[in-house]
Amino acid sequence: MEVTNVSEYEAIAKQKLPKMAFDYYASGAEDQWTLQENRNAFSRILFRPRILIDVSKIDMTTTVLGFKISMPIMIAPTAFQKMAHPEGEYATARAASAAGTIMTLSSWATSSVEEVASTGPGIRFFQLYVYKDRNVVAQLVRRAERAGFKAIALTVDTPRLGRREADIKNRFTLPPFLTLKNFEGLNLGTMDKADDSGLASYVAGQIDRTLSWKDVKWLQTITSLPILVKGVLTAEDTRIAVQSGAAGIIVSNHGARQLDYVPATISALEEVVKAAEGRIPVFLDGGVRRGTDVFKALALGASGIFIGRPVVYSLAAEGEAGVRKVLQMLREEFELTMALSGCRSLKEITREHIVTDWDHPRIQPRARALL
């Protein structure tokens, strides 16, 4: 059966993958309310298309931290990609490069920074978890720099792992043939079996719960790479991120895998954009499955979006070709949305092109004449 949209890959991945692997990718925290809301919130934003505009030429190119990319659609960090497909992160890196966009490699990748760099040219960011042992962190950042990675995406919403009940039920652990490749030489590359989720136990043992804003400053002393703060949902934290020297913000709720009942990222986006006041770019991940979703995020002030689950699902289904197809489908849908909304370049996408359920009515109903 021909795949005609991004969401269709989920069912194919479910058929192909072992239950423990699929559940790890698919599940959210606790009641999974935010998991549903990440999608549902997009569906409550409607378009206000402008007509009779010459849309014969559409330019989707943009720059992110000074790097020119073909479209504002990038790849978010997702862990353990070889659990989805034997080529894992290699396939994702090649697909991103072919599409002319950015891939973010997870700290918990099943391929190392050096291995991913060896796939060939491409603009790549590195997602960082801060371990209790800061020497490990410094070493990892240096390796990413040496391997030609262009930015650090610092995950700030995971002092502890969210409660993902599917992983607890499945006693989730990494398959025996896989390791956390970036940590292999540091005796941190394997995950023990546990009475609940092996990953939750690993995080409890290794990830630093004391992480605070001063560590964002510390990170700037050990690397010259720009730092994106990933996991911001409020205006308050946006202002601190700007003051702390962040190069950008990723509005993220960790794919709804951390704290349940936080808003959808698309609902939190405008608050963050307004607080950033144009001083640093704001990006979004979470729930993007259509080109229309990309347009909505940009209309609310995002400089670009990142996709996560669609990558691992398409990887499971068709390897590199699947990831290429996801990027191509999103690109074509986004281009079509721009054309049908009357926008020829990203700068023409404005807040006036959408209406949200938190907008005030644009036209006040006239008071009925007294009879």
Side-chain angles (χ1 to χ4, degrees), residues 201-221:
S201 300
Y202 180 85
V203 168
Q206 302 301 337
I207 302 303
D208 194 345
R209 295 184 186 184
T210 73
L211 190 70
S212 71
W213 288 106
K214 71 177 188 306
D215 297 294
V216 179
K217 292 276 197 207
W218 168 76
L219 208 49
Q220 291 167 72
T221 68

Side-chain angles (χ1 to χ4, degrees), residues 59-64 67-73 303-304 346:
D59 179 12
M60 288 180 283
T61 61
T62 188
T63 56
V64 170
F67 298 99
K68 189 161 190 192
I69 56 174
S70 67
M71 57 182 174
I73 301 163
S303 293
L346 303 191

Side-chain angles (χ1 to χ4, degrees), residues 176-236:
F177 55 90
L178 295 177
T179 60
L180 305 181
K181 263 289 196 280
N182 288 315
F183 299 96
E184 218 173 23
L186 303 160
N187 294 328
L188 295 168
T190 54
M191 203 180 291
D192 299 324
K193 281 212 173 331
D195 289 337
D196 50 7
S197 154
L199 184 62
S201 300
Y202 180 85
V203 168
Q206 302 301 337
I207 302 303
D208 194 345
R209 295 184 186 184
T210 73
L211 190 70
S212 71
W213 288 106
K214 71 177 188 306
D215 297 294
V216 179
K217 292 276 197 207
W218 168 76
L219 208 49
Q220 291 167 72
T221 68
I222 66 161
T223 182
S224 56
L225 293 179
I227 295 161
L228 298 170
V229 179
K230 177 180 181 286
V232 173
L233 291 170
T234 64
E236 296 90 324

